[in-house]
């Protein structure tokens, strides 16, 4: 009898925990069961040891259920400990933590994502005006931008392109129409940058920067009415070219440690003595600085004479300074790798500016870091992810086409498994990158400013771009490594480190920001516990007790859910949809519970020391990142109408992300700070072994086939990039790809009949024989000839005379090679 009751008891615990019944209610139910069993001892025989254990358990539950007792013996004592171990958070760290909003990442931290909420998010869409702008001015600018000439002849963006950008008001995409701007959505902003980047990175970056973190963005949210009315129309028309100077020689990723300073003082301005700031700064890596007419500047304000109040160190502040202001120095150009956009240093010494040049006026002094972090919370999800996605899409588009055009051993190289593998990685990653980009942009357009998801997008989409471009270079072989007008990959490859480094270097973003900030902001209880523990008021102890035990209940629930979902293979949860994606919804729910439980244990075991455990933080960041990527892939598939032909892309992306999540969690558990706990947790979250082997060869083959043919799935995958119809590097590939597919049947017929494959070397003679023998028609012969000639043009690489490469020195060096 006692065994039966014990089983009922355990089953009740599991059901309560799995369904996340509130902890106090669960305790009441368990006390009822315990007391009920105690009464039954008069009817049934119960061993004394069982009665004793039952009594202890009942007393313990009662102690937990009665709030005054619980506070006296548990939470008030933990409150004191918690206050001591909390890590110190600087003002700038706190402002970064407070920046932006929390969106879907909260669901992932909860361990129980509410899928219906995600599926109700609108599908991405552009307005008619935005689409017309993409199809008109943006398409025309792409047509005007010659990548080789910009990068090697002009080594800058030509004036005619700058003039077109100004006339089209592309520098005012984020500025409202009432100020003369375009007032486009985040989705349109991203789509424009992505399309331009697929043609030429210098053009894309030159348009991107004024519409990203900088004077325009800061003025919109924080500027005074006078500042907005003066500067926004001029920025929208391109009359003013802005830049924003943040990075200092000794303050890169740790930008808040800048030594640039503004001293509050009185000085002369327009013939009057006014209150202002005397600035001294030295900045570098400032995009558009060499041609900027308006300098946005971040610096620390000091008030040694207490002209503004009792404080002397007033904090980071942002100001707008015309580049013609006496003392402003615009230095020489930097030359970024792989692109020739304007970038360079700027400096100034004892430059006086009036107070009304501070963005937002004097009242905004000291709020600069918060302003920057709030802007970055949204902007980081737009510009660099658009560049990364453009690289992935172009890798998919060009590598698939080249792998079909290029033959070795009389077979298109794309049919070799060694090429199928990188093609599959390119296709799957690009599908996943674009899915995350689209979902996050919709959130931005709904008013969200998800700081953690923005960091995920910046990190993952720039890293994904690096992986796609590397695979594309491997597929192209010698074609990719010989530079010249015919090389459409070289600049993408060379410029990869730019996006990896700026707006928070990826190493920093992964190891410190994604999980470090995410755990505090997105966790359902951690931030509330921290706020209660920092609050010295007596009533804070009551709030701490409430949040602490809610946190404990959440952790226990996720532990039970992780184990039950592991034992059942995910079938212990109901997916929101039926069909081919149902199993993936189940697995993401399972891994969300496993992630939340593991994260809680890591944070509990390390406390404030977690800030120093960057390797563990990085692995947990990878887990959170790929949970979000999985969600975006599932949402994208539904938004696209669940096309069956896209299933290989979805399957590759999901299976690769689930495998990454699994390996990341294993890495955390293998290095768990408390010996033995990692092994126990591994058994809880992976009770039946490791379920995610990664994408299969079969799935990879299907993805590669999508890239190697013309089909709707491929069109959806690469949608949004510039498809050249000109006689240039990429245009020749598009034409040759189409002709190669069109001529396939005729070429096969020739080879079968004449027992010799068609190449551009034997094409004319072989095709003539085939026509004369009736194997193919004259029309088919024309197609084959065109296809072979087009293939020859694509396979060719550029060469130059020594004089073209070396200049006048070539004639001398020929005598002394």
């Amino acid at each position: 009898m006692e065994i039966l009751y014990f089983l009922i008891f355990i089953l009740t615990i599991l059901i309560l925990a799995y369904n996340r019944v509130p902890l106090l209610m669960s305790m009441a139910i368990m006390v009822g069961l315990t007391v009920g069993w105690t009464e039954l001892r008069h009817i049934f025989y119960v061993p004394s040891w069982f009665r004793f254990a039952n009594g202890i358990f009942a007393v313990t539950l009662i102690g937990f259920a009665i709030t005054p007792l619980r506070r006296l013996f548990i939470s008030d004592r933990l409150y004191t400990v918690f206050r001591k171990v909390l890590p110190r958070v600087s003002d700038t760290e706190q402002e970064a933590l407070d920046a932006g909003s929390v969106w879907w990442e909260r669901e992932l931290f909860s361990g129980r994502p509410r899928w219906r909420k995600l599926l109700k998010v609108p599908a991405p869409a552009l307005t008619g005006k935005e689409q017309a702008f993409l199809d008109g001015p943006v398409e025309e600018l792409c047509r005007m931008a010659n990548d080789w000439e910009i990068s090697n002849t002009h080594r800058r963006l030509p004036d005619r392109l700058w003039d077109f950008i100004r006339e089209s008001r592309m520098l005012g995409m984020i500025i409202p129409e009432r100020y003369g701007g375009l007032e486009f959505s985040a989705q349109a902003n991203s789509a424009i940058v992505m399309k331009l980047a697929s043609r030429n990175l210098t053009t894309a970056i030159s348009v991107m920067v004024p519409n990203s973190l900088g004077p325009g963005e800061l003025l919109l949210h924080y500027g005074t009415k006078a500042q907005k009315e003066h500067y926004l129309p001029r920025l929208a028309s391109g009359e003013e070219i802005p830049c924003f100077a943040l990075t200092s020689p000794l303050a890169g990723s740790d930008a808040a440690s800048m030594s640039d300073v503004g001293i509050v003082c009185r000085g002369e301005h327009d013939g009057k003595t006014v209150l202002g700031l005397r600035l001294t700064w030295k900045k570098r890596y400032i995009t558009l600085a060499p041609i900027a007419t308006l300098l946005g500047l971040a610096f620390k304000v000091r008030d040694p004479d207490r002209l503004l109040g009792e404080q002397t160190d007033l904090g980071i502040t942002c100001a707008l300074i015309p580049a013609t202001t006496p003392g402003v120095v615009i230095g020489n150009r930097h030359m970024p790798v792989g692109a020739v956009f304007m970038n360079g240093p700027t400096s100034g010494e004892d430059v006086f500016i009036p107070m009304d040049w501070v963005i937002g006026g004097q009242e905004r002094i000291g709020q600069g870091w918060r302003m920057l972090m709030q802007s970055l919370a949204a902007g980081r999800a737009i510009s660099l992810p658009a560049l990364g996605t453009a690289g992935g899409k172009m890798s998919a588009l060009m590598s698939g086409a080249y792998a079909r055009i290029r033959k070795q051993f009389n077979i298109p190289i794309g049919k070799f498994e060694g090429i199928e593998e990188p093609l599959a990685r390119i296709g799957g990653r690009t599908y996943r990158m674009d899915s995350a980009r689209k979902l996050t942009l919709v959130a931005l357009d709904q008013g969200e400013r998800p700081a953690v998801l923005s960091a995920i997008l910046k990190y993952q989409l720039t890293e994904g771009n690096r992986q796609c471009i590397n695979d594309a270079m491997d597929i192209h072989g010698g074609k990719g490594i010989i530079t010249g007008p015919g090389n459409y990959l070289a600049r993408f490859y060379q410029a990869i480190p730019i996006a990896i480094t700026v707006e928070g270097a990826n190493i920093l973003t992964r190891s410190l920001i994604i999980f470090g900030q995410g755990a505090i902001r997105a966790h359902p209880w951690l931030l509330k516990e921290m706020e209660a523990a920092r609050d010295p008021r007596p009533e804070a102890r009551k709030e701490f007790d409430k949040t602490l035990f809610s946190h404990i209940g959440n952790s226990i629930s996720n532990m039970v859910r992780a184990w039950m979902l592991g034992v059942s293979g995910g079938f212990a949860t109901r997916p929101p949809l039926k069909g081919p994606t149902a199993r993936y919804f189940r697995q993401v729910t399972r891994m969300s519970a496993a992630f939340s439980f593991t994260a809680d244990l890591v944070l509990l075991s390390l406390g404030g020391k977690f800030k120093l455990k960057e390797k563990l933080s990085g692995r947990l960041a990878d887990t959170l990142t790929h949970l979000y990527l999985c969600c975006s892939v599932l949402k994208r598939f539904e938004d696209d109408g669940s096309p069956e032909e896209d299933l290989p892309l979805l399957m590759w992306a999901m299976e690769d992300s689930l495998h990454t999540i699994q390996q990341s969690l294993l890495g955390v558990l293998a290095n768990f700070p408390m010996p033995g706990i990692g092994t126990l947790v591994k058994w809880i979250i992976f009770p039946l072994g490791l379920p995610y082997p990664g994408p299969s060869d079969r799935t990879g083959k299907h993805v590669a086939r999508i890239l190697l043919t013309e089909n709707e799935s491929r069109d959806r995958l690469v949608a949004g990039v510039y498809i050249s119809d000109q006689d240039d590097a990429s245009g020749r590939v598009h034409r040759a790809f189409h002709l190669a597919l069109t001529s396939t049947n005729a070429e096969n017929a020739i080879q079968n009949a004449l027992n010799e494959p068609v190449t551009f070397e034997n094409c004319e003679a072989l095709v003539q024989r085939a026509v004369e023998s009736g194997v193919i028609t004259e029309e088919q012969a024309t197609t084959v000839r065109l296809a072979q000639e087009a293939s020859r043009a694509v396979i060719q690489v550029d060469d130059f005379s020594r004089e073209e490469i070396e200049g006048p020195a070539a004639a001398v060096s020929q005598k002394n090679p």
Side-chain angles (χ1 to χ4, degrees), residues 221-234:
H221 296 292
Y222 305 106
T224 65
K225 181 180 179 182
Q227 288 172 342
K228 290 178 181 179
E229 290 179 349
H230 177 74
Y231 280 119
L232 290 180
R234 298 160 69 90

Side-chain angles (χ1 to χ4, degrees), residues 354-586:
M355 279 295 179
D356 57 9
W357 287 11
V358 172
I359 297 178
Q362 182 176 317
E363 66 186 60
R364 291 285 185 182
I365 287 179
Q367 298 183 27
W369 191 248
R370 182 172 65 84
M371 292 157 58
L372 291 171
M373 291 300 100
Q374 290 283 0
S375 299
L376 200 60
R380 193 156 44 185
I382 300 174
S383 302
L384 296 177
L387 296 185
T389 306
K393 286 175 178 275
M394 288 303 290
S395 295
L397 183 69
M398 307 307 286
S399 298
Y402 185 79
R404 177 59 186 83
I405 296 164
R406 178 65 163 156
K407 293 182 179 181
Q408 290 290 273
F409 309 104
N410 300 322
I411 300 173
I413 63 172
K415 294 188 177 181
F416 290 97
E417 288 192 350
I419 300 297
E420 277 183 356
E421 200 168 23
L423 279 176
R425 289 196 296 264
I426 292 172
R429 284 173 177 149
T430 300
Y431 185 82
R432 188 168 61 194
M433 291 159 61
D434 201 28
S435 302
R437 182 187 69 90
K438 289 179 175 180
L439 177 60
T440 312
L441 291 170
V442 171
L444 293 180
D445 285 332
Q446 289 189 314
E448 298 289 344
R449 302 173 76 84
V452 175
L453 296 186
S454 294
I456 285 175
L457 240 66
K458 188 274 172 184
Y459 164 64
Q460 185 60 37
L461 271 59
T462 55
E463 286 291 339
N465 179 35
R466 169 154 55 185
Q467 294 161 341
C468 287
I469 296 292
N470 283 342
D471 278 334
M473 289 292 286
D474 287 348
I475 290 168
H476 281 75
K479 172 72 175 177
I481 64 173
I482 301 301
T483 191
N487 191 319
Y488 41 79
L489 284 178
R491 256 71 65 194
F492 278 113
Y493 181 74
Q494 293 167 341
I496 284 171
I498 298 173
I500 296 289
T501 303
V502 301
E503 290 189 11
N506 279 7
I507 290 177
L508 170 78
T509 302
R510 174 181 178 267
S511 60
L512 291 177
I513 296 177
I514 293 175
F515 182 77
Q517 186 173 348
I520 296 174
R521 288 298 306 276
H523 192 286
W525 300 108
L526 186 59
L527 180 59
K528 295 177 182 177
E529 286 173 326
M530 294 175 65
E531 289 173 344
R534 288 198 175 101
D535 190 343
R537 296 177 303 160
E539 54 266 32
R541 293 174 179 262
K542 183 178 180 180
E543 182 63 24
F544 180 78
D545 171 78
K546 178 183 175 181
T547 56
L548 174 65
F549 279 87
S550 296
H551 189 167
I552 292 171
N554 184 75
S555 297
I556 293 172
S557 174
N558 280 323
M559 178 185 69
V560 173
R561 284 172 54 78
W563 182 76
M564 292 183 70
L565 288 166
V567 168
S568 67
F571 281 93
T573 187
R574 180 181 298 177
L577 299 169
K578 296 180 180 179
T581 60
R583 62 191 176 107
Y584 293 121
F585 280 107
R586 289 191 180 103

Side-chain angles (χ1 to χ4, degrees), residues 630-776:
C630 283
C631 297
S632 66
V633 167
L634 292 170
K635 179 67 167 64
R636 187 248 181 91
F637 187 73
E638 297 304 319
D639 288 342
D640 286 348
S642 306
E644 185 177 351
E645 58 271 24
D646 286 3
L647 274 175
L649 294 166
L650 175 136
M651 291 169 63
W652 193 99
M654 293 298 298
E655 288 163 13
D656 181 70
S657 282
L658 288 169
H659 177 73
T660 302
I661 291 168
Q662 172 184 276
Q663 298 307 116
S664 298
L665 288 174
L666 289 175
V668 172
L669 300 179
N671 295 276
F672 205 83
M674 297 174 65
I677 299 297
T679 302
L680 176 61
V681 175
K682 180 181 176 182
W683 178 83
I684 292 172
I685 64 178
F686 298 119
L688 303 181
L690 304 180
Y692 310 122
S696 68
D697 291 348
R698 179 183 176 85
T699 299
K701 181 181 286 290
H702 288 309
V703 173
R705 286 176 180 172
I706 289 173
L707 301 189
L708 290 167
T709 58
E710 292 176 331
N711 55 78
E712 292 182 359
S713 185
R714 179 178 181 265
D715 292 343
R716 280 189 292 271
L717 181 67
V718 303
V721 300
Y722 176 69
I723 307 293
S724 174
D725 58 0
Q726 303 175 68
D727 184 26
D728 55 22
S730 61
R732 288 191 287 270
V733 174
H734 302 322
R735 181 170 182 270
F737 177 60
H738 176 74
L739 287 169
L741 295 174
T742 306
S743 66
T744 298
N745 291 337
E747 290 184 9
N748 289 340
I750 293 171
Q751 182 168 354
N752 292 333
L754 305 180
N755 201 29
E756 187 176 353
V758 181
T759 67
F760 50 72
E761 292 178 337
N762 67 8
C763 174
E764 190 55 45
L766 203 60
V767 167
Q768 188 60 38
R769 284 173 54 199
V771 171
E772 291 171 355
S773 58
V775 174
I776 60 172

Side-chain angles (χ1 to χ4, degrees), residues 46-162:
V46 180
S48 57
W49 67 266
F50 194 82
R51 290 202 302 271
F52 178 75
N54 221 28
I56 295 295
F57 188 73
V59 170
T60 304
L61 285 179
I62 291 169
F64 272 95
I66 300 174
T67 302
L69 287 176
R70 187 177 69 239
R71 285 188 55 187
L72 178 63
F73 291 106
I74 301 172
S75 57
D76 281 0
R77 297 176 185 273
L78 289 176
Y79 174 84
T80 304
V81 174
F82 207 87
R83 283 179 62 87
K84 291 180 180 178
V85 301
L86 269 180
R88 181 184 175 277
V89 178
S90 67
D91 291 342
T92 52
E93 286 177 318
Q94 189 62 53
E95 287 174 339
L97 286 173
D98 293 340
S101 61
V102 180
W103 190 56
W104 184 249
E105 64 270 39
R106 188 190 301 277
E107 299 294 321
L108 298 175
F109 265 97
S110 75
R112 196 185 186 113
R114 293 173 291 176
W115 293 113
R116 299 292 180 190
K117 177 182 176 182
L118 181 68
L119 294 173
K120 286 180 181 178
V121 173
L126 300 178
T127 66
K129 175 186 172 184
E130 291 168 343
Q131 188 62 56
F133 193 84
L134 264 176
D135 296 339
V138 178
E139 183 82 7
E140 181 59 28
L141 181 57
C142 287
R143 184 180 293 274
M144 294 168 64
N146 183 300
D147 189 64
W148 176 256
E149 289 181 1
I150 290 171
S151 300
N152 294 273
T153 303
H154 301 290
R155 300 183 72 76
R156 59 185 294 273
L157 199 65
D159 289 342
R160 64 188 184 90
L161 268 66
W162 272 117

